[in-house]
Amino acid sequence: MLCCIALLGACGTRKASEDTLKSVLADKFYIGTALNSWQVAGRDSNATAIVTRHFNAIVAENCMKSESLQPREGEFRFRQADEFVAFGERHGMHITGHCLIWHSQLPRWFCTDEQGNNISPELLRQRMKAHISTVVGRYKGRVKGWDVVNEAIMEDGSYRKSKFYEILGEEFIPLAFQYAHEADPEAELYYNDYNMYYPGKRKAVCQLVRQLKERGLRIDAVGMQGHIDIHHPSLEEFEASIEAYADAGVKVMITEFDMSALPSPWQSANLSDTLSYEQRMNPYVDGLPDSISAQWNARMMAYMQLFIRHADDITRVTTWGVTDGSSWKNGFPIRGRTDYPLFFDRQYRPKPFVEELIRNKES
Ligand code: XIL
């Protein structure tokens, strides 16, 4: 029933009934979404219906992270990832693997010994190679591209002091790209990170891209995650980074797009002091006020138009989830809030900007 509402809801006009996000964006870039395991397993059938109708690319929200795939050394658990890849193939979708080397959702055994001490550089190289070649090798020719390294650079351009960095220094990044390429020479390889519009991070990532290329290593694209909010960043800041990464010689992907409608804890000084912190930070439990919704939709539309303007450089725009109800933003950076960050609402209906995008496909 809800599914029918969602499909009908997409029809702002009669003409639009045939059109979908993927049909109107077909000559621009892939339009993708992250899938959770419920959606892959068909247990959220309304969401699955939206995915197959509107999207032509998928990425796994969690099941391909190292703690899921290799919770203990040498013990790989592929069931959910296999189902995810099979889902994509069944529906003829572009499949991205997320992610090979990341400091988060990383099992403890990977970088430390039983006493909690860092392992040797040699052992870490072996473990990285074993993990990457097993995972990439298993999906060779099926997963089209991998987020090889996720979130290794800070906003000021310095390297994140992760275990990988502590043990191997900057070298862990080229090594990861080398191992991934050896495991599937045809696969595209990406560097992925958030806050990619910060000038310091932009400069360091461009430098990283150039260094990898100078060393003859494959890197196809930079992923700008795109977890943004209703105020930040400006379109100009974001655009400057799209242009900078393209100038560095790679394609650009918007890999984890969502736009929080809620106050950010980092801007909480702007909010009234008369309400409790919880209420101030979670103000729209019963629905988004029309004025905020209008602002949110206008900004989303402006972002989509920005991406469309840069379609020569952008190969994929992927939303981090399908509907507001299942978005990770309800739990991050503050748990237990009601956020509205995605293209489809809690009732599985497209947001107004999605309908507009579909309606105005020729504009
Ligand atoms: C998030 C998932 O959405 C959550 O379900 C999980 O609890 C934590 O990770 N950057 C990334 C993603 O690269 O993998 C993260 O996904 C969100 C931030």
Side-chain angles (χ1 to χ4, degrees):
M1 176 62 185
L2 273 177
C3 157
C4 301
I5 294 171
L7 299 185
L8 290 171
C11 312
T13 66
R14 256 179 235 106
K15 165 180 159 275
S17 63
E18 305 285 304
D19 288 321
T20 63
L21 278 174
K22 68 180 173 193
S23 74
V24 301
L25 295 170
D27 60 342
K28 306 287 189 275
F29 36 68
Y30 284 112
I31 181 79
T33 184
L35 291 186
N36 63 35
S37 295
W38 277 65
Q39 291 154 353
V40 172
R43 288 197 211 150
D44 184 355
S45 53
N46 296 318
T48 309
I50 292 176
V51 174
T52 53
R53 178 171 162 78
H54 285 285
F55 296 93
N56 51 20
I58 52 169
V59 59
E61 185 171 0
N62 285 302
C63 72
M64 284 185 155
K65 294 171 179 174
S66 57
E67 72 172 7
S68 302
L69 286 181
Q70 198 182 175
R72 274 181 285 280
E73 186 167 18
E75 255 183 54
F76 285 88
R77 297 203 184 146
F78 283 118
R79 193 178 56 79
Q80 290 188 346
D82 285 354
E83 285 175 9
F84 162 78
V85 173
F87 178 100
E89 288 182 328
R90 218 163 41 242
H91 297 290
M93 292 168 151
H94 180 276
I95 305 171
T96 302
H98 173 81
C99 48
L100 298 171
I101 296 296
W102 187 27
H103 67 277
S104 189
Q105 293 178 274
L106 170 74
R108 200 168 304 160
W109 65 264
F110 208 117
C111 296
T112 49
D113 63 20
E114 275 160 18
Q115 286 72 48
N117 300 315
N118 286 353
I119 58 172
S120 69
E122 180 49 30
L123 185 54
L124 183 54
R125 276 195 289 269
Q126 280 172 23
R127 287 181 175 171
M128 282 175 55
K129 184 166 187 175
H131 183 77
I132 292 173
S133 46
T134 305
V135 172
V136 175
R138 185 178 184 89
Y139 301 112
K140 189 173 175 182
R142 303 171 70 199
V143 166
K144 295 292 177 264
W146 286 93
D147 290 339
V148 179
V149 174
N150 198 28
E151 303 180 353
I153 311 276
M154 305 304 285
E155 283 77 355
D156 65 0
S158 62
Y159 277 75
R160 179 188 295 279
K161 305 300 176 282
S162 68
K163 289 284 172 202
F164 295 105
Y165 181 81
E166 276 178 22
I167 299 169
L168 288 170
E170 297 176 11
E171 199 52 22
F172 85 90
I173 300 182
L175 281 173
F177 277 82
Q178 180 197 320
Y179 298 150
H181 185 57
E182 286 165 1
D184 184 356
E186 301 297 319
E188 293 192 348
L189 305 182
Y190 316 131
Y191 175 77
N192 192 55
D193 211 328
Y194 61 90
N195 283 353
M196 292 283 271
Y197 51 88
Y198 274 68
K201 190 176 261 204
R202 176 195 304 153
K203 196 167 163 218
V205 172
C206 287
Q207 206 176 328
L208 172 67
V209 166
R210 293 195 172 100
Q211 278 167 0
L212 291 173
K213 284 176 168 283
E214 273 162 26
R215 290 171 63 163
L217 291 164
R218 176 167 187 166
I219 175 165
D220 296 272
V222 157
M224 301 178 69
Q225 289 186 3
H227 299 294
I228 61 176
D229 72 32
I230 201 160
H231 301 295
H232 300 98
S234 70
L235 286 150
E236 291 73 24
E237 286 172 300
F238 207 100
E239 181 168 33
S241 282
I242 295 173
E243 288 169 350
Y245 300 131
D247 285 349
V250 283
K251 291 295 182 188
V252 177
M253 307 173 310
I254 315 304
T255 52
E256 304 183 17
F257 192 40
D258 53 25
M259 183 186 294
S260 176
L262 301 184
S264 154
W266 299 285
Q267 299 145 27
S268 57
N270 295 334
L271 298 161
S272 153
D273 287 333
T274 55
L275 295 168
S276 75
Y277 180 79
E278 286 74 17
Q279 279 178 304
R280 269 194 289 142
M281 301 315 276
N282 190 21
Y284 311 129
V285 178
D286 299 324
L288 209 52
D290 288 349
S291 62
I292 308 289
S293 171
Q295 193 188 343
W296 185 95
N297 275 283
R299 187 161 149 81
M300 273 307 237
M301 193 58 165
Y303 261 95
M304 288 306 289
Q305 281 163 345
L306 171 70
F307 300 152
I308 289 169
R309 274 204 308 283
H310 287 277
D312 285 349
D313 294 319
I314 294 179
T315 53
R316 173 166 60 91
V317 174
T318 288
T319 65
W320 201 244
V322 183
T323 64
D324 288 343
S326 57
S327 166
W328 79 303
K329 292 299 294 177
N330 296 306
F332 184 89
I334 299 174
R335 277 171 198 266
R337 298 200 296 178
T338 305
D339 205 345
Y340 303 82
L342 290 170
F343 284 30
F344 293 83
D345 70 16
R346 285 177 169 71
Q347 284 72 44
Y348 301 88
R349 292 176 307 214
K351 302 278 179 77
F353 90 93
V354 172
E355 295 183 311
E356 195 184 331
L357 203 62
I358 292 174
R359 225 172 19 241
N360 299 339
K361 66 170 178 175
E362 302 307 337
S363 66

